[in-house]
Amino acid sequence: MKFNTKVIHAGIEPDPSTGAIMTPIFQTSTYVQAAPGVHKGYEYARTQNPTRSVLEKNLAALENGKEAICFASGLAAMDSILKTLHPGDEVIATDDLYGGSYRLMTKVFGKYGIQFQFAGISDINKLSALITDKTRMIWVETPTNPMLNIIDIQAVCDFVKDRNITVVVDNTFASPYLQNPLDLGADVVIHSATKYLGGHSDVIHGVVITNNDDIASQIRFIQNAAGAVPGPQDCFLILRGIKTLHIRVERACENAAKIASFLADHPKVSKVYYPGFANHPGHEVAKKQMKMYGGMVSFDLVANNEESARTVLSNTHYFSLAESLGGVESLIGHPASMTHASIPRAERLKVGLTDSLIRLSVGIEDIDDLIADLDQALHLV
Ligand SMILES: *Cc1c(COP(=O)(O)O)cnc(C)c1O
């Protein structure tokens, strides 16, 4: 089955009891048993829910994985993976990581004796220098947030092969339509399904997908034992969103490419971060591992200060000022004070995340309206 058919059909059958074409929302906490232990595979809804099971089958298919395990949020999915580690274990992660992932690692798991190192691992030599015999996990986000650096997933996986190190890829920014890390050798893929998978900014959800039976059973155990499960209505919304994933992401990528070019020529803009540009340092790798270059664009202003960024951010009309990304509507954000406020300023500046950096999540509106909107806001600086 090809991708554009999978989004609509993989793992999805009409409901056997009624023929309903759409997966029903099984809003129940428990299931009646005919006699103790005699049931239809469902005992208690933290452990199993039919709406969730259908979504898990569909998500596994989208990433060419054996198993998908769903969670109440992207961070709950990440939390479950980090819970497979032990005190003393070391993790190497991308340095311009999603702020919430950085916070989860340093503030929650740091307390339990797990060591985290953050580095620009697009350079394999840097990665190599950090690996010790305690390294158990490499955490890759690509494209990175918000600098849109690209990491060569296959190169990282080849490098750590046979070393008993789990490679985890946060594939939220690319979505399974653009990039499939398991095919490139990764052990685990995670998504904040809140973003492109849901696609309509109306639900929080997360997923872990893997081909590794041992990892799958550990994560399945944690899903039930720790209980950060999504409700059936949320699973339904993600299933519904996925049906148009391919069309939404394709349009967002087309719009983003045009906006990146417009910004690159704009007199008020000093720098545009967009992996679709031939002079982007990760362009060749992006071309190899992604289908298109994504719907995210970041840029910096000639007037290199927070006040100018605030002027732009407060004056767009179609680009709404908000955290998050991946919805049908365009969003504009200020990483330094919003998504990345939990990262110390000195750390931010090291990776180019200045006070005037602006991040766009490009939606699927008409491109002329989007460009005119940005243009009028930039001219107020
Ligand atoms: C949003 C996001 C997360 C966190 O997901 P939630 O669903 O908000 O918990 C993690 N990683 C990336 C790249 C994200 O954009």
Side-chain angles (χ1 to χ4, degrees):
M1 208 189 289
K2 297 209 172 162
F3 191 89
N4 296 355
T5 309
K6 280 186 193 172
V7 293
I8 292 161
H9 294 291
I12 301 169
E13 301 283 347
D15 175 48
S17 61
T18 62
I21 192 162
M22 287 300 139
T23 307
I25 301 168
F26 285 89
Q27 194 75 52
T28 188
S29 64
T30 192
Y31 308 87
V32 176
Q33 307 192 6
V38 181
H39 52 73
K40 300 177 173 160
Y42 295 92
E43 294 155 276
Y44 185 64
R46 174 169 21 79
T47 322
Q48 312 103 344
N49 178 284
T51 315
R52 193 175 90 203
S53 304
V54 170
L55 174 60
E56 289 177 338
K57 287 200 185 88
N58 184 257
L59 284 165
L62 297 189
E63 284 287 13
N64 301 323
K66 258 198 210 166
E67 202 164 343
I69 302 120
C70 287
F71 288 89
S73 70
L75 280 171
M78 296 174 193
D79 175 82
S80 78
I81 298 166
L82 295 169
K83 280 178 176 151
T84 64
L85 296 167
H86 298 91
D89 288 352
E90 295 180 6
V91 178
I92 302 170
T94 324
D95 58 1
D96 52 335
L97 195 65
Y98 175 73
S101 310
Y102 178 86
R103 182 177 56 203
L104 175 66
M105 291 174 184
T106 55
K107 299 272 168 65
V108 178
F109 284 91
K111 276 198 313 218
Y112 299 123
I114 297 164
Q115 309 286 327
F116 295 92
Q117 304 205 60
F118 301 92
I121 59 179
S122 46
D123 178 354
I124 294 287
N125 292 326
K126 274 197 194 156
L127 179 62
S128 159
L130 291 173
I131 289 184
T132 72
D133 57 4
K134 291 187 179 156
T135 307
R136 284 290 154 270
M137 192 173 277
I138 297 187
W139 194 284
V140 175
E141 212 179 283
T142 181
T144 65
N145 176 20
M147 304 314 298
L148 302 173
N149 291 316
I150 302 291
I151 292 163
D152 188 332
I153 298 171
Q154 189 153 22
V156 171
C157 296
D158 287 351
F159 183 73
V160 303
K161 221 182 168 92
D162 305 323
R163 288 188 206 227
N164 190 24
I165 295 175
T166 303
V167 178
V168 177
V169 178
D170 180 342
N171 205 25
T172 303
F173 264 45
S175 90
Y177 179 66
L178 297 181
Q179 176 173 285
N180 298 119
L182 298 180
D183 292 350
L184 302 170
D187 301 293
V188 178
V189 176
I190 42 181
H191 283 279
S192 165
T194 311
K195 317 293 168 55
Y196 286 103
L197 287 165
H200 295 74
S201 308
D202 51 10
V203 57
I204 299 283
H205 191 106
V207 61
V208 175
I209 306 162
T210 182
N211 276 321
N212 179 309
D213 293 332
D214 177 45
I215 296 173
S217 72
Q218 287 185 62
I219 302 291
R220 184 66 74 190
F221 178 84
I222 291 165
Q223 181 194 40
N224 183 51
V229 293
Q233 176 123 16
D234 290 353
C235 293
F236 173 88
L237 286 169
I238 301 293
L239 271 168
R240 180 177 177 144
I242 287 172
K243 291 180 199 298
T244 53
L245 177 71
H246 52 313
I247 319 184
R248 288 186 285 104
V249 174
E250 189 168 286
R251 178 60 63 85
C253 290
E254 287 165 8
N255 281 352
K258 290 177 186 156
I259 285 172
S261 299
F262 158 78
L263 290 171
D265 291 337
H266 202 284
K268 301 288 174 87
V269 173
S270 61
K271 193 158 172 43
V272 180
Y273 299 89
Y274 174 65
F277 286 154
N279 65 359
H280 183 287
H283 180 68
E284 288 308 316
V285 176
K287 201 166 161 179
K288 184 179 72 171
Q289 73 188 13
M290 298 173 76
K291 189 169 184 165
M292 295 171 84
Y293 300 103
M296 304 299 295
V297 180
S298 295
F299 63 100
D300 215 331
L301 300 174
V302 173
N304 186 11
N305 56 64
E306 179 165 345
E307 195 193 320
S308 302
R310 284 183 172 273
T311 301
V312 176
L313 292 157
S314 321
N315 285 288
T316 51
H317 306 299
Y318 298 126
F319 282 87
S320 303
L321 177 58
E323 300 207 2
S324 201
L325 61 116
V328 290
E329 64 290 309
S330 294
L331 300 181
I332 189 165
H334 184 236
S337 67
M338 296 167 71
T339 45
H340 290 65
S342 53
I343 299 182
R345 185 166 187 267
E347 292 292 315
R348 281 196 273 114
L349 292 180
K350 267 194 232 163
V351 299
L353 204 169
T354 63
D355 295 337
S356 49
L357 188 84
I358 294 174
R359 188 190 84 175
L360 304 176
S361 167
V362 179
I364 64 173
E365 301 94 333
D366 186 276
I367 186 63
D368 297 338
D369 287 336
L370 294 181
I371 286 178
D373 192 26
L374 287 174
D375 195 34
Q376 61 78 29
L378 282 166
H379 280 296
L380 300 172
V381 174

